[in-house]
Amino acid sequence: MDDVGVEARLWCLTREAVSTGSADIVTNPLQAQIWGLGRVVALERPERWGGLVDVPARLDGRTAQLLCAVIHGVDTVDGVHGEDEVAVRPSGAFGRRLARAPLGDAPAEDWRPQGTVLVTGGAGAVGSHVCRWLARAGAPHLLLVGRRGKDTPGIAELEAELTELGSRVTVAAVDVTDRDGLRKVLASIPEELPLTAVIHGAAVLADGLVESLTAEQLERVLRPKVAAATVLHELTADLKLDAFVLFSSAVGGVWGSGGQGGYAAANAFLDALAQVRRAAGLPATSVAWGSWGGGGMVTGEVEERLRRQGLPPMVPATAMAALAASLGREETQVMVAQVEWADYAPALEAIRPSRLIADLPDVAVLTAAHPGDQAGEESEGDLMARLKGLPDGKVDDALLEIVRAHAAAVLGLSGPDAIGAERAFSLVGFDSLTSVELRNRLRRVTGLQLPSTLLFDYPTPVVAARYLREELFPERTADGGDAEADAANTPNNANSANGTNGANGEGHAPENGDGPSLDEMGVDDLVRMAMKNDVPDEMRRS
């Protein structure tokens, strides 16, 4: 759309890819991936995003009218931002909502592992906790499958620990997407210990902005989740299982996360597959996990950032108790996360207003207490009124303070003084994902259509502030300010340091002698180069 100059919002339509209830059957789980991907696009490109709509197999006159009403009402429902995740059915239009699981309303069955339990990703951070929980619960036989088998790092120690807890352990080297290979593994299960449960926790992360994702990147993420889950489903559909558990993600699935389009798409498929199985009378539970403590999926800086945003890590024992309760109640789709809504709700809606959490009691209380408040943010109208009242020489100072304040908020720092005005964003801790978050914050408060490469194009707060001034007040000229000249002299300028063309037009090859040219780089490559991020975006989990 950008390439052809189309400025309309993008709406994505699917057909029977989501369910509105037990009587509404999902027939196209693969199309559900569009819903996961779309949630990420909404965060990365909120100015261009319209929404997601699922329609029935037959689109009659009434449903067509409802579809048009949904798309037309994106900004006008009840005077606030409208629904952007909707299932249109002959009986009406249904908006997607997060609701409290009624786990305390009725006693759950006491789910206990029996026979053989097959686990993928068992040696991973969360998978190892699950395996210990299964062993302590009396699982007679644990079948741990993965591509590397006994060569998986940490598998020998885990096998010994599980054996000591009383479970028989088999480690099988097989790519779960290999149908014939997995069929042989299933055939090798002892008859006296038949397969009774499957827990699919294997995953791969390969972060990248949606507009620069390649087919290879998507395949790398989708294969271990989508393809593997499909093979597991099809090869066990005729077996008498009492549990089929799929591990999804709260951040990378339920509400999406910038830079994780492929991961969100894969998790959306798992949710849809669980619905397909339930409709067919088969067991299925898709669990969207929040942040784990005790060496979970995220650690270090990412864990700390989630904590500041209102997603502190869960105690593993608490998470396992919630999983047991979900299995006992035969839940189909649940999110298990510790959420501090007073912190997380404003952070989630700072990028884009969302009806997803509107009906949660915790959020309703916050909304009633602070109507229209966005975590103390200055509104676009108030900002413009304040800036218009300032002398020309003070506008840059005010915008610089705004840039530094929001940068500090994204990184969880004490305040704007923690962000140097002329210090490169890369040097204070920004990566490709936090760069998008800062861009979205500045877009919201200024109302400008800012590029996703904002921090690459304007790599220090002072240069970014001057760019904002030029966009907000093109008729003004700041005292002594020339944004292009300042940009050419910023500490993070890529000319000589990164082998791009210098001021004299002469190029410098990368130090390793075989790096890609700028013409060969995608948006992510350029952002990563500018950020000098030494930590690879890709993280593999077995």
Side-chain angles (χ1 to χ4, degrees), residues 97-131:
R97 290 292 187 275
L98 192 63
R100 288 278 187 185
L103 296 182
D105 291 356
E109 295 292 329
D110 187 18
W111 185 85
R112 293 280 178 179
Q114 304 176 56
T116 294
V117 179
L118 184 153
V119 182
T120 72
V126 172
S128 60
H129 284 300
V130 173
C131 288

Side-chain angles (χ1 to χ4, degrees), residues 81-173:
H81 194 281
E83 305 283 355
D84 62 357
E85 294 187 60
V86 182
V88 173
R89 300 293 185 261
S91 57
F94 300 84
R96 182 169 175 259
R97 290 292 187 275
L98 192 63
R100 288 278 187 185
L103 296 182
D105 291 356
E109 295 292 329
D110 187 18
W111 185 85
R112 293 280 178 179
Q114 304 176 56
T116 294
V117 179
L118 184 153
V119 182
T120 72
V126 172
S128 60
H129 284 300
V130 173
C131 288
R132 295 185 191 99
W133 168 68
L134 291 168
R136 293 188 183 106
H141 182 213
L142 295 176
L143 174 58
L144 311 184
V145 299
R147 289 181 298 105
R148 288 176 287 182
K150 288 186 177 293
D151 292 332
T152 304
I155 196 68
E157 294 80 3
L158 178 62
E159 182 180 4
E161 184 179 356
L162 299 176
T163 300
E164 187 174 347
L165 289 171
S167 292
R168 175 179 171 181
V169 181
T170 300
V171 179

Side-chain angles (χ1 to χ4, degrees), residues 528-541:
R528 195 172 296 113
M529 178 186 75
M531 294 301 167
K532 298 178 183 176
N533 184 11
D534 295 330
V535 180
D537 281 342
E538 179 178 315
M539 177 181 67
R540 293 186 178 273
R541 294 197 298 268

